Amino acid sequence: MFRTGNAKLPIETGRWFNIPRENWICKLCNSKDIGDEFHYLLKCTDAVIQNSRIQNLSKYYQSNPNVIKFENLFNVTKKKELIKICKFLDTIIERVNSPG
């Protein structure tokens, strides 16, 4: 879902429904960052997402997030790492799509 743009993140729903760009922000944290894949995977400060990030991503991705680490995350091939990333993505999708 993340790779195809079907995760219903604010950046995607904003495009689909012609919502002004300044309203595409993350509604889970107070950062006022655009709610895109990079934000939710590496920067969002929502407690549930942060806890899941700590449990499922290596410290490499958690410290000093950047586009190179983001790209590396999507190119992981080790099965154990992929399973953990999928668990983390499930948490993100659940939080973003939960009402309220």
Side-chain angles (χ1 to χ4, degrees), residues 40-55:
Y40 288 108
L41 281 167
L42 301 175
K43 293 177 69 180
C44 188
T45 58
D46 175 69
V48 174
I49 291 177
Q50 274 189 318
N51 288 338
S52 185
R53 183 182 300 122
I54 290 166
Q55 290 175 356

Side-chain angles (χ1 to χ4, degrees), residues 23-97:
N23 295 330
W24 297 357
I25 61 169
C26 173
K27 303 215 181 337
L28 301 177
C29 68
N30 296 322
S31 69
K32 301 211 188 299
D33 285 344
I34 289 181
D36 61 0
E37 293 85 352
F38 181 83
H39 171 76
Y40 288 108
L41 281 167
L42 301 175
K43 293 177 69 180
C44 188
T45 58
D46 175 69
V48 174
I49 291 177
Q50 274 189 318
N51 288 338
S52 185
R53 183 182 300 122
I54 290 166
Q55 290 175 356
N56 295 301
L57 295 185
S58 71
K59 292 192 187 293
Y60 167 76
Y61 297 110
Q62 296 177 45
S63 64
N64 301 318
N66 59 48
V67 177
I68 294 168
K69 290 180 182 183
F70 179 72
E71 183 180 336
N72 290 343
L73 189 62
F74 276 98
N75 289 309
V76 168
T77 57
K78 294 179 183 174
K79 187 175 179 178
K80 282 186 178 182
E81 280 187 68
L82 282 171
I83 290 169
K84 286 186 163 200
I85 292 168
C86 288
K87 287 179 183 178
F88 180 44
L89 292 174
D90 282 343
T91 301
I92 293 169
I93 292 168
E94 189 176 297
R95 284 290 294 150
V96 170
N97 295 321

